[in-house]
Amino acid sequence: MPAELVCFEPSCRTRFTVTEVIYNCPKCGSLLEATYPDWKLDVEAVKSLWRARRICNSPLDQSGVWRYREIIPFLENFDAVVSLREGNTPLLAGAKAAQYGGLDRLVFKHQGFNPTGSFKDNGMTCGVAQARRLGMRRVACVSTGNTSASMAAYASAAGLEPLIFIPHGNISYGKLAQALEYGARTFQVEANFDQILALVRVLAERLGIYLLNSINPFRIEGQKTIIVEMLDQRDWTVPDWIVLPGGNLGNTSAFGKALRELKQLGFISKMPKLAVIQAAGAAPFYELFHASRRDRLDPVGHPETLATAIKIGDPVSWPKALKEVSETHGVVEKVSEQEIADAKAVIGKCGIGCEPASAATLAGIRKLTAAGTMRRDADVVAVLTGNLLKDPDYIYRYHTGQLESPDGARIHPTFGNQPIVVPNDTEKIAALL
Ligand code: F0G
């Protein structure tokens, strides 16, 4: 299966070989995507093959990304692949969350069960494989934390040198700790995510470092498998809605591409709607989606949210995301800091838990059902993008009534759960119980 890189801009569509080290179209500057000319699959045979691989012991089949390798056929062989058993993330029903969100039922696809605790691992195993195939020695990314944690792990496991650039003071300690422990050279830059991305692109070009941000089309290929695995787990029953948080919009692009390709290849016959949820203080895609003209995204100069994973004002993948959300007849919603914090606590009370950005999904669902956009009896899958332990500081502050939104407003601990300090005294504790 010969793969190609194709310019995403409909008026350009210039094609490049898959081994060129490019991230944007050299002709027009637009985003690139991997495509597979004359792509056909025997759908029923491939579905059975994917199911059978679940009980195989080879690392490639144990991976919840490479098990689905027929849907991401950009490599000629798998010599360059390093797997940490990514993917294989569960579908978890959350009854309390459904009720809170105004739904009869709600299922979470929990990407926090990945080896480094976020959905980035699905894409990173592919990005790092491509880096090795190209013979690159050093890889780099700017990150709000999860990409860097994931890249550090995969690059180190693959024998590459990981270089990480993060906004100083603006990522959670859990994520920074991962980057350090996985052995990445970590630069805390005094700038925001969008500014650092521009800087890293220049450095990557000048020093021949392979860039592993989500503009990298091979990362997008890997993230497609989140959708494929979810549909496989549901025996290919397509939900009405897939809800996800939006930051740099790589994941929205990946989900849309997966759904488009699965429909084109005959795996599914209808499309679910995509609902992308942004934090109100970092919602340029929401504004674009609701604007009368959608030809240009107005960046948010100073994005603000405690959900630091999605604190991005100038998302690079907006043209792809806009096309994908529109094609599914989906929606874009925004939610406040209070709404994110409360939704997160409700997901926690289900025994599931997630990091703040992920909880934007449930907060968004609650708004969409209240507005009548999403029906109470709809079949909804919300994607939890990161693990609860990524940001424990936020959790402690919420439950003890100390959490403040970036504008200084106190967040009310609606579902607060204070730890109780007690003396070492059986009677006194028994009395409290
Ligand atoms: N949720 C979490 C937990 C994330 O870490 C991110 C992105 C998103 C949602 C948004 O995904 O960018 O594809 O729209 N984190 C990136 C990072 C930006 O650097 O780790 P997106």
Side-chain angles (χ1 to χ4, degrees), residues 210-370:
Y210 194 56
L211 197 56
L212 280 175
N213 274 101
S214 58
I215 47 164
N216 185 306
F218 304 99
R219 277 201 39 212
I220 300 295
E221 289 306 284
Q223 286 172 211
K224 284 183 345 194
T225 62
I226 300 167
I227 294 295
V228 181
E229 184 180 71
M230 182 264 284
L231 290 167
D232 184 12
Q233 287 166 314
R234 291 171 50 100
D235 299 318
W236 300 95
T237 307
V238 178
D240 298 318
W241 289 92
I242 297 173
V243 187
L244 75 162
N248 218 13
L249 301 171
N251 220 21
T252 306
S253 312
F255 285 13
K257 185 170 193 274
L259 292 167
R260 248 191 307 128
E261 291 175 347
L262 289 170
K263 179 135 184 290
Q264 208 179 308
L265 291 163
F267 284 82
I268 54 174
S269 53
K270 69 163 196 169
M271 294 283 262
K273 292 184 167 80
L274 288 177
V276 179
I277 319 295
Q278 296 209 289
F285 189 54
Y286 170 88
E287 298 303 335
L288 172 76
F289 199 80
H290 294 273
S292 51
R293 289 192 59 178
R294 293 175 171 178
D295 52 353
R296 195 172 59 89
L297 177 132
D298 272 334
V300 173
H302 298 284
E304 289 291 3
T305 171
L306 296 175
T308 48
I310 50 173
K311 189 172 163 179
I312 294 174
D314 192 6
V316 284
S317 291
W318 72 262
K320 285 185 176 178
L322 181 63
K323 177 187 158 181
E324 306 296 3
V325 177
S326 306
E327 284 198 3
T328 70
H329 305 289
V331 296
V332 183
E333 187 52 274
K334 65 175 177 182
V335 290
S336 70
E337 296 298 309
Q338 182 73 51
E339 288 169 325
I340 293 174
D342 287 340
K344 184 173 136 52
V346 172
I347 296 168
K349 280 161 84 77
C350 294
I352 294 174
C354 63
E355 69 162 281
S358 310
T361 53
L362 179 58
I365 288 169
R366 189 171 153 95
K367 277 183 100 165
L368 292 170
T369 54

Side-chain angles (χ1 to χ4, degrees), residues 184-201:
R185 279 179 79 188
T186 304
F187 301 92
Q188 297 184 284
V189 187
E190 282 163 342
N192 69 27
F193 177 93
D194 309 298
Q195 295 162 329
I196 306 171
L197 180 56
L199 179 133
V200 174
R201 288 175 78 142

Side-chain angles (χ1 to χ4, degrees), residues 119-120 143-144 146-147 245-251 309-310 312 355 357 385:
F119 73 98
K120 305 290 181 180
S143 178
T144 56
N146 281 322
T147 298
N248 218 13
L249 301 171
N251 220 21
I310 50 173
I312 294 174
E355 69 162 281
T385 43

